[in-house]
Amino acid sequence: MPQKKKILIRIGSLRHGGAEKVLVTFLKNLPQDQYEIDLLLNLYSGKYLSEVPDWINIIYLNKGEMITTNRIQDIPKKAARVIYQNALKKFPKLLYNGKLKGKKYDIEFAAIHGMRDEILNSPLKSSKKIVWIHNDLSEVKEYTEAEIKKFFGFDKIMVISEKIERLFLELAENEIQKSKIVKIYNPLDTDEILVKAEQPVVNYEFEQNIPTFISVGTVFPQKGFDRLLKVHKKLLEEGFKHKILIVGNGYDFENIKKLKTELNLDETATMLGFTDNPYPYFKNADFYILSSRYEGFPTVLFEAITLKKKIIATEVSGVKEMLNNGELGLIVENSEAGIYSGMKKVLLDSQDFEKYTDKLKDYKMPFNLENSVQKIISILDKM
């Protein structure tokens, strides 16, 4: 029997983000008999922990919930975590000889771009190294061209959209670097989404005659929820009755909540916080709106398409691919003005959206779970 490949996978935590969801979906569909996997988390936390298959060994640097506030009582714990993680990053041999017990891995895998240095600085020189890029790094201000070029230190760079692929191809300095780039659409489970959408809605009332726009995502500045609330305010002032429902949590949650109150929107905009199952809310809302400033390949649009929602999305990486160049939903300029024009258009004439609904009816997703998983497996097996 061939020996199992030993793989180390690194990610921050398994909280509720697109990259985390995609990683766990991938792990659930991996053949157990071929791999021995250690999943190393900076923080043992998150909704997807319970979904990791039993045969995968979870190792962690810290345990407990993420500390997103700066309350006096939380600062020592937060500081201790950071100091510990930074020490292990600076002296990786401590981590590999300690927590990882001197194990030799065939493959080391950064499941998000933020784990680049941790994997590239590994003391294991013989291991093959892979990174999974989920964001358009040209839109992230700390990623200069020089910083992005450091990713060519990996043996394989997995990217999730055409735009990200183009970025890396443009920065590649030779054919060897170009050959490292491979585009793989995110593995996502449509059946799971459809089943979960049938569950009842809790803690929210949808009103029949008032259109509801839903937006789902981790509450970070990247997601543009501040822009969404400002547009919502403007449209209400112009007499367009509608509601906003934001589902998700994140370090910017309190800031967005405060903005909602400052704009006097507490009656019409709801921040539901985190929920295990956002799909019933998707299903019952009238429109899905993506207000992001940047993305890699917005997983959430895959979910909205699966549930045949009427979609408005800012033109960020991955959107044109997912919405078939605007056949399946309205793509608007990536700005507050763009979001405003899209929402106003639909509130003025929702019939105009029927053309998208018709296209969605028989639409078959070109990116499916099996293809994506098989493509990643073939990369692992060739290394």
Side-chain angles (χ1 to χ4, degrees), residues 161-203:
S161 74
E162 277 171 16
K163 189 165 184 228
I164 304 174
E165 182 182 37
R166 228 172 20 247
L167 168 70
F168 277 91
L169 285 171
E170 281 165 11
L171 292 177
E173 289 169 0
N174 52 47
E175 288 308 312
I176 291 172
Q177 288 190 350
K178 282 183 182 172
S179 70
K180 293 181 175 191
I181 304 156
V182 56
K183 186 182 75 180
I184 299 176
Y185 289 121
N186 275 338
L188 290 156
D189 194 336
T190 41
D191 294 342
E192 181 189 34
I193 293 165
L194 293 166
V195 168
K196 285 185 168 178
E198 294 308 314
Q199 290 179 9
V201 164
V202 287
N203 299 332

Side-chain angles (χ1 to χ4, degrees), residues 135-332:
N135 266 325
D136 178 3
L137 298 180
S138 66
E139 298 283 352
V140 185
K141 64 172 182 289
E142 60 266 32
Y143 281 92
T144 57
E145 277 195 10
E147 278 299 307
I148 297 171
K149 282 180 178 177
K150 288 180 185 175
F151 285 96
F152 287 109
F154 285 90
D155 297 287
K156 276 285 177 234
I157 302 165
M158 294 187 345
V159 299
I160 61 169
S161 74
E162 277 171 16
K163 189 165 184 228
I164 304 174
E165 182 182 37
R166 228 172 20 247
L167 168 70
F168 277 91
L169 285 171
E170 281 165 11
L171 292 177
E173 289 169 0
N174 52 47
E175 288 308 312
I176 291 172
Q177 288 190 350
K178 282 183 182 172
S179 70
K180 293 181 175 191
I181 304 156
V182 56
K183 186 182 75 180
I184 299 176
Y185 289 121
N186 275 338
L188 290 156
D189 194 336
T190 41
D191 294 342
E192 181 189 34
I193 293 165
L194 293 166
V195 168
K196 285 185 168 178
E198 294 308 314
Q199 290 179 9
V201 164
V202 287
N203 299 332
Y204 189 76
E205 291 276 324
F206 283 95
E207 285 185 58
Q208 216 126 42
N209 302 320
I210 300 180
T212 301
F213 293 83
I214 187 173
S215 200
V216 180
T218 313
V219 186
F220 293 160
Q222 167 194 345
K223 301 295 180 185
F225 294 133
D226 54 329
R227 308 198 288 189
L228 181 58
L229 289 177
K230 286 171 188 169
V231 168
H232 172 49
K233 169 84 171 171
K234 194 172 174 185
L235 288 165
L236 287 174
E237 284 172 345
E238 290 175 18
F240 293 101
K241 272 190 153 185
H242 65 293
K243 288 193 158 187
I244 298 283
L245 174 60
I246 296 171
V247 180
N249 202 346
Y251 69 73
D252 215 26
F253 188 88
E254 291 306 321
N255 290 334
I256 298 295
K257 201 172 163 188
K258 191 168 153 228
L259 177 67
K260 177 169 74 82
T261 303
E262 282 168 3
L263 293 172
N264 292 321
L265 298 174
D266 290 337
E267 292 298 308
T268 54
T270 303
M271 293 186 70
L272 198 70
F274 169 71
T275 171
D276 268 337
N277 180 13
Y279 305 122
Y281 302 92
F282 265 97
K283 189 168 180 258
N284 285 279
D286 301 282
F287 304 99
Y288 185 82
I289 182 144
L290 183 90
S291 54
S292 295
R293 290 181 164 89
Y294 63 91
E295 287 283 347
F297 197 71
T299 307
V300 73
L301 283 192
F302 174 98
E303 297 164 339
I305 292 166
T306 301
L307 294 168
K308 315 287 185 206
K309 295 319 299 174
K310 292 170 178 166
I311 297 166
I312 301 168
T314 49
E315 193 181 330
V316 290
S317 168
V319 164
K320 279 187 170 172
E321 278 164 273
M322 294 206 88
L323 295 181
N324 254 10
N325 286 317
E327 271 189 13
L328 305 175
L330 179 63
I331 302 172
V332 298

Side-chain angles (χ1 to χ4, degrees), residues 25 89 143 214 217 233 238 254 295 335 352 364 373 380:
T25 303
K89 190 172 174 177
Y143 281 92
I214 187 173
K233 169 84 171 171
E238 290 175 18
E254 291 306 321
E295 287 283 347
S335 64
D352 193 46
K364 287 275 179 287
V373 172
L380 298 177

Side-chain angles (χ1 to χ4, degrees), residues 326-350:
E327 271 189 13
L328 305 175
L330 179 63
I331 302 172
V332 298
E333 183 188 280
N334 182 3
S335 64
E336 209 170 295
I339 297 164
Y340 168 77
S341 71
M343 287 176 71
K344 186 170 182 175
K345 188 175 181 185
V346 69
L347 290 168
L348 276 171
D349 182 14
S350 64

Side-chain angles (χ1 to χ4, degrees), residues 22 42 49 59 100 172 282 286 359:
V22 162
N42 282 356
L49 273 174
I59 303 166
L100 301 178
F282 265 97
D286 301 282
K359 283 271 190 231

